[in-house]
Amino acid sequence: MTLLQLAGVHTYIGQFHILQGVDMQVEQGGVTVLLGRNGAGKTTTLKSIIGLLAPARGRVTLAGQAINGRPAYEVAQQGIGYVPEDRGVFVDLTVAENLLLAERRKGQLAARKAMLLELFPDLGRFWHQKGGRLSGGQQQMLAVSRALVPENKLLLIDEPSKGLAPIVVEQLAHAFNQLKSYTTIVLVEQNFWLASATGDRYYILDDGLTVHSGNMPDLIRDTELQARYLGVAAKGRAV
Amino acid sequence: METPHLTFPLLVTLLLNGVAIGMLYFLVAVGLSVIFGLMHVLNFAHGSMSMVGAYVGLAVFRLFGDPATGTAPTWAFALAILGGAMAGFVLGWVTERFLIRPLYKRPIFLILLTLGLILVLDETVKLIWGTSPQGLVIVPGLSGTVDVLGQPFAVYRIFLISFGLLMIGLTWYVVNKTRIGIIIRAGVQDSDMVQTLGINVRQIFTLVFAFGAALAAMGGIATTPFTGVHPAMSGDFLLKTFIVVVIGGFGSTTGTALGAICLGLTEQFLPWFFPRFAAVGPVVLMAVVLLVRPEGLFSVSGRRAG
Amino acid sequence: MMLKRIKADRWIIAVLLLLLLLPLPKLLAANGLIAADAVNWPPIHYLKRSTDVFVWAVVAVSYDILIGFTGIVSFGHSLFVAVGAYSVAIAVMKLGLSPVVGVLAAVIASALISVVVGSLSLRLKGHYFAMITLAFAEVGHVLALKLSQWTGGEDGLSVRVPLWLANRTNDYYLGLLFLAVIFFTVRRITESPTGRVLAAIRENEHRAQALGYDVTAYKVGAMTISGVIAGLAGVAMATIDTQFAIASLATSGPTIEVLLMTVVGGVGTLTGPVLGAAMIRLLSFALPGLQDISPLFARWQLFLGLIYVGTVMFLPDGIVGSYRTRVKTAFQRIFTPG
């Protein structure tokens, strides 16, 4: 079943025409990786889905329902969790408060706490610390956990590996693979190791257009395609 | 100039006076501080909203009062505070919802808008109540003095300190212990991110603006037993608010409380040392803080919230 | 080039000519060319109010350098008007010097204060800058009140001007000349390479910085030019307009009125602020006169407030700005194929 669909999405930031007709189809379950060079429009695509940017043209549908042009909070309430590139951790809030904020119904965090701690055991130790005191990796775990507090059909995760130590990236890969049975993930990732270790399907964006898509194993084999669109990043096979 | 010796009892009186006035400043300023922290709107009409509260409060007070003496029972004063606060709430709600909301993307125009609102509100007040001062509000139940270390101390100031502490406690509780408070603190850092968690931040903006104006209005009516009610209040309030918020740091309720008490004390003590230029002292203090430590004197990490 | 310029400026030139011709009968009479008692047009209050408009138009033009061409919103601009007015008032009334010395003193004082205020406050951005300029203006206000042996305290200082300046016709022509000189000078500045750097700063400060421009120095420069012009306007106020220097000039009140003039007319257009100054000043003369019709007009500033809010909400480019965009889009519509 198609969970998320983008059809001919055009998005401007100021006067810049960033997305110039993005088409994408994300099936329920699994991890879809969005790849492409810096400035290809990956982050803008996520922002256009969650509603932080309003597409000027095109359609975004979630489970058949149009969500483009709706304010971000309404889109999120449809069941989308968003983890931005800068992680969006509230530095003056404790870990617990950061997570509580994501509740859409009272008691959701309590119901989910055990699962989150199993996924990221570190969180428990920092439960009452301020978000600003956490390391980058811990912040990333908090940000992903926060998207898991409500029952989200879809997670949008923007470059989780950025600036993190290899060991933390491995932990994230493990977590994403575990989450597959629970939700659908759209992952923007420059780190090809993390992309290939977790991805089921891929889309490649270039200059604001979707130029390639397919199953991840095919991309892993196709070094020519990797070199053409992913440049240097693709060479970083292992971390 | 001959100045009496600064004795210990006098020192205590000045301290208490400073804290009492500081409570007023907290009420007036806290809304502006949180509104700026959360929405990045510097509301120049904040002082005017305070003044509207004072005038509406006075009108309520007079409904139950004796026009000959200008007095009314204590409960009428409580109603006046409530009435003024309600007027402030409605004013703040309407302002945010219909005037400010369309302009969030254009910060300079937000400043201009609130400047225009100063004229509209101040002139409307003068149109309804005239330009002359309205005389002091006298609440017999809260008048008189008590003895503090041999010095007379006004009962009303004791009331102010208690009421102020109560309101500081309430705001602290709301900001630190409730879900709305978590949303406000998060929104001060990044309101877009709060939205993506499924929270309608705009609604919170309206609410915060309305409550901020309501608190300012309360501060307005609470000053009236000292200063009476007059059209120059709005400008006074605005400047004092800016000073408090700059000293305390934008967006922080605790900082605002400390900044307010700081200004109250400065105003009490400065005339003892620099009688001629006491009036300019607080403004100079504000300028210095802006230049040296624009995030406020009481912020720990340069972050402002909580 | 020259012809093109004149053609583009035909409205400005027409208005200037009209303004030059209007009080001609008075001018001729004053010089004995026609019988003085035969002339009672234009009435004296027309001359007075026009002079007042000219002076405030200069203040508005100087403010446009800041808000329109550099992108700074200052709340302390009228401080410089006060500095100019007091400089000439103190020179003439307290020190018994010639008004010319007063003008020089005004230029020097407003330049110095602009540089000091500018270099201190321009390190701050946006709202913080707005607030510190407010603080400086308030300091100026309190000083003007407290240094009463020089400033006359709350009463202000009335300036006894030489006889030739006590003549309203002369004041009118001086005011008009003053406005014309300042207007064209400021336009020259904004169209110069320096003006283009300022525009670049307004559009994107970081990019201007990255291009190697000393952004703060340019801003301080803009504030100094603007401050000196405002200081000169203060001189004009104290000599040909109200002939008075008063502490309240330094408060944010007059600045807010000047801001309104600039915004209503059109930020960054120069002609807009002049038009705005004329509108707002004339309204503030005319509206109180309507009190007989309705007591509402006693509170005429309420209308200024409504104009303010209305302009911000519905006409953000101001009158001249919107007119220009309209003409431009009309042209685009005509010349865009399809």
Side-chain angles (χ1 to χ4, degrees):
Chain A
M1 189 194 116
T2 303
L3 180 63
L4 173 78
Q5 187 162 24
L6 281 79
V9 170
H10 288 253
T11 302
Y12 290 80
I13 299 179
Q15 293 169 342
F16 299 102
H17 194 172
I18 307 288
L19 299 191
Q20 311 190 2
V22 168
D23 297 301
M24 223 168 96
Q25 196 163 324
V26 175
E27 301 301 316
Q28 190 149 22
V31 174
T32 303
V33 186
L34 265 181
L35 297 157
R37 278 188 261 265
N38 279 332
K42 303 180 300 277
T43 297
T44 306
T45 304
L46 292 195
K47 286 189 174 171
S48 302
I49 299 170
I50 189 69
L52 284 179
L53 293 170
R57 266 181 290 155
R59 253 172 91 81
V60 183
T61 53
L62 182 75
Q65 276 205 315
I67 54 171
N68 51 298
R70 317 240 26 115
Y73 74 92
E74 278 184 25
V75 176
Q77 282 169 1
Q78 300 292 310
I80 302 186
Y82 174 60
V83 181
E85 202 174 342
D86 64 7
R87 301 170 193 128
V89 164
F90 297 109
V91 294
D92 285 320
L93 268 51
T94 63
V95 169
E97 286 174 328
N98 263 286
L99 294 169
L100 267 175
L101 195 59
E103 280 191 343
R104 284 179 205 139
R105 272 195 333 272
K106 228 177 156 44
Q108 274 178 328
L109 176 60
R112 196 72 65 168
K113 192 173 169 183
M115 171 209 165
L116 295 178
L117 289 182
E118 194 184 325
L119 210 55
F120 301 115
D122 269 9
L123 279 183
R125 286 195 287 131
F126 301 102
W127 202 252
H128 293 293
Q129 281 210 11
K130 298 233 160 154
R133 305 283 300 274
L134 306 188
S135 71
Q138 291 159 347
Q139 284 196 352
Q140 190 64 61
M141 293 172 196
L142 172 57
V144 173
S145 305
R146 195 171 54 186
L148 292 169
V149 169
E151 278 145 27
N152 281 325
K153 296 178 198 131
L154 176 68
L155 302 189
L156 308 173
I157 306 179
D158 199 349
E159 284 215 46
S161 73
K162 200 175 179 184
L164 297 187
I167 178 125
V168 186
V169 178
E170 272 173 44
Q171 240 177 311
L172 284 176
H174 175 71
F176 294 158
N177 280 325
Q178 282 205 306
L179 287 173
K180 276 184 196 177
S181 56
Y182 163 80
T183 185
T184 309
I185 298 177
V186 172
L187 183 68
V188 164
E189 193 47 79
Q190 299 258 33
N191 180 324
F192 197 71
W193 178 83
L194 182 60
S196 52
T198 57
D200 299 300
R201 289 181 52 79
Y202 73 88
Y203 275 88
I204 295 178
L205 283 180
D206 199 42
D207 284 338
L209 279 166
T210 25
V211 289
H212 260 279
S213 67
N215 291 320
M216 204 63 205
D218 300 333
L219 179 65
I220 293 170
R221 278 191 296 274
D222 193 343
T223 47
E224 194 260 338
L225 191 62
Q226 288 175 29
R228 180 139 51 105
Y229 288 111
L230 309 178
V232 195
K235 293 188 190 101
R237 269 294 159 102
V239 194
Chain B
M1 195 181 291
E2 183 109 9
T3 45
H5 189 60
L6 194 56
T7 57
F8 179 68
L10 196 55
L11 185 81
V12 172
T13 310
L14 286 179
L15 265 173
L16 287 175
N17 277 348
V19 173
I21 306 283
M23 295 300 159
L24 287 175
Y25 293 159
F26 170 79
L27 289 176
V28 176
V30 68
L32 184 117
S33 174
V34 176
I35 288 166
F36 184 83
L38 189 61
M39 308 164 217
H40 309 287
V41 177
L42 189 56
N43 181 16
F44 281 84
H46 198 74
S48 306
M49 293 181 171
S50 228
M51 178 172 76
V52 170
Y55 271 94
V56 172
L58 180 71
V60 173
F61 190 71
R62 288 193 171 157
L63 272 183
F64 305 101
D66 174 1
T69 58
T71 61
T74 313
W75 57 263
F77 189 62
L79 280 184
I81 292 182
L82 213 65
M86 269 163 65
F89 188 90
V90 172
L91 190 57
W93 196 88
V94 171
T95 304
E96 198 284 338
R97 183 65 192 76
F98 296 106
L99 298 176
I100 293 194
R101 192 174 281 193
L103 296 175
Y104 275 118
K105 299 251 146 101
R106 293 185 289 169
I108 286 191
F109 286 92
L110 274 175
I111 293 186
L112 301 180
L113 174 84
T114 62
L115 287 177
L117 278 181
I118 296 181
L119 289 175
V120 173
L121 293 177
D122 288 10
E123 294 304 313
T124 306
V125 161
K126 288 181 200 160
L127 191 66
I128 300 175
W129 285 286
T131 49
S132 40
Q134 295 285 305
L136 293 176
V137 170
I138 300 161
V139 193
L142 297 172
S143 337
T145 57
V146 290
D147 202 73
V148 176
L149 297 173
Q151 296 274 333
F153 191 73
V155 171
Y156 186 70
R157 291 182 193 241
I158 296 176
F159 161 76
L160 263 189
I161 295 179
S162 343
F163 183 67
L165 286 177
L166 176 74
M167 295 317 283
I168 290 178
L170 268 177
T171 9
W172 184 87
Y173 179 81
V174 170
V175 169
N176 288 291
K177 295 289 161 198
T178 65
R179 180 169 169 83
I180 296 258
I182 298 181
I183 297 173
I184 291 171
R185 280 181 291 144
V188 166
Q189 185 191 326
D190 184 351
S191 59
D192 271 356
M193 189 61 221
V194 177
Q195 282 239 36
T196 65
L197 295 175
I199 295 160
N200 185 356
V201 170
R202 288 288 168 89
Q203 252 172 13
I204 306 291
F205 283 8
T206 314
L207 209 63
V208 166
F209 211 98
F211 269 109
L215 282 170
M218 269 187 199
I221 181 76
T223 20
T224 55
F226 289 139
T227 59
V229 182
H230 56 88
M233 287 171 99
S234 72
D236 289 351
F237 281 145
L238 183 64
L239 194 62
K240 301 252 155 91
T241 300
F242 280 167
I243 296 170
V244 165
V245 172
V246 165
I247 296 175
F250 279 100
S252 152
T253 50
T254 331
T256 307
L258 292 172
I261 292 170
C262 198
L263 176 63
L265 291 173
T266 310
E267 282 184 348
Q268 291 294 312
F269 281 97
L270 215 54
W272 283 92
F273 303 111
F274 308 100
R276 222 155 114 72
F277 292 100
V280 82
V283 184
V284 172
L285 181 65
M286 162 174 158
V288 171
V289 173
L290 272 174
L291 289 174
V292 179
R293 210 177 145 81
E295 71 273 18
L297 284 185
F298 303 111
S299 65
V300 189
S301 56
R303 290 264 168 211
R304 300 155 233 130
Chain C
M1 182 67 193
M2 193 66 196
L3 267 176
K4 220 166 143 189
R5 179 100 260 190
I6 289 173
K7 205 171 162 208
D9 279 348
R10 61 190 186 280
W11 284 110
I12 297 174
I13 291 165
V15 171
L16 266 177
L17 277 177
L18 188 69
L19 289 172
L20 271 174
L21 288 175
L22 266 174
L24 206 57
K26 270 272 160 65
L27 187 69
L28 295 176
N31 290 291
L33 292 171
I34 50 176
D37 50 354
V39 183
N40 46 18
W41 202 93
I44 205 85
H45 69 260
Y46 161 82
L47 295 174
K48 265 175 87 167
R49 283 164 193 186
S50 308
T51 313
D52 188 70
V53 166
F54 299 150
V55 173
W56 281 100
V58 169
V59 185
V61 165
S62 73
Y63 198 76
D64 204 19
I65 299 177
L66 295 182
I67 188 173
F69 292 94
T70 322
I72 324 175
V73 184
S74 161
F75 282 98
H77 193 60
S78 68
L79 174 66
F80 301 109
V81 181
V83 166
Y86 273 115
S87 299
V88 75
I90 291 171
V92 173
M93 302 309 289
K94 297 284 175 184
L95 304 171
L97 300 167
S98 138
V100 181
V101 181
V103 176
L104 279 176
V107 170
I108 294 168
S110 47
L112 277 177
I113 296 176
S114 316
V115 171
V116 171
V117 169
S119 42
L120 281 176
S121 55
L122 281 166
R123 293 185 294 152
L124 298 168
K125 303 266 178 290
H127 295 104
Y128 293 96
F129 174 79
M131 272 189 298
I132 199 159
T133 53
L134 196 72
F136 279 125
E138 185 58 24
V139 171
H141 176 221
V142 176
L143 285 181
L145 284 178
K146 297 285 172 181
L147 298 172
S148 47
Q149 66 271 44
W150 291 103
T151 61
E154 299 216 10
D155 298 332
L157 268 185
S158 181
V159 182
R160 212 176 314 107
V161 293
L163 213 56
W164 61 279
L165 277 181
N167 177 324
R168 284 292 168 193
T169 316
N170 290 350
D171 291 345
Y172 177 95
Y173 279 110
L174 272 173
L176 185 59
L177 179 71
F178 179 46
L179 173 59
V181 169
I182 294 292
F183 179 86
F184 288 111
T185 313
V186 171
R187 201 170 67 179
R188 269 301 275 277
I189 295 172
T190 58
E191 288 169 355
S192 71
T194 312
R196 279 192 284 275
V197 177
L198 292 178
I201 292 172
R202 179 194 59 203
E203 291 310 322
N204 189 336
E205 204 174 316
H206 294 293
R207 197 167 53 201
Q209 187 103 49
L211 286 172
Y213 292 110
D214 186 342
V215 167
T216 310
Y218 271 96
K219 280 182 168 178
V220 172
M223 209 162 146
T224 309
I225 294 171
S226 157
V228 169
I229 294 173
L232 285 172
V235 170
M237 215 164 282
T239 49
I240 60 173
D241 181 12
T242 59
Q243 296 167 344
F244 207 71
I246 182 98
S248 63
L249 264 183
T251 58
S252 53
T255 302
I256 292 174
E257 203 178 313
V258 171
L259 187 54
L260 174 60
M261 295 169 183
T262 318
V263 172
V264 166
V267 166
T269 59
L270 288 187
T271 42
V274 174
L275 184 69
M279 273 180 61
I280 302 301
R281 288 312 284 177
L282 293 179
L283 273 180
S284 65
F285 291 130
L287 288 176
L290 299 176
Q291 278 179 63
D292 298 341
I293 301 168
S294 156
L296 196 62
F297 290 104
R299 303 266 53 91
W300 54 274
Q301 290 184 54
L302 177 60
F303 296 94
L304 294 194
L306 292 173
I307 294 174
Y308 226 127
V309 174
T311 309
V312 170
M313 304 290 295
F314 306 113
L315 199 72
D317 295 330
I319 295 169
V320 173
S322 307
Y323 171 76
R324 285 190 188 163
T325 351
R326 281 262 289 281
V327 173
K328 220 200 259 170
T329 38
F331 265 100
Q332 273 166 356
R333 209 171 300 136
I334 295 166
F335 294 113
T336 311

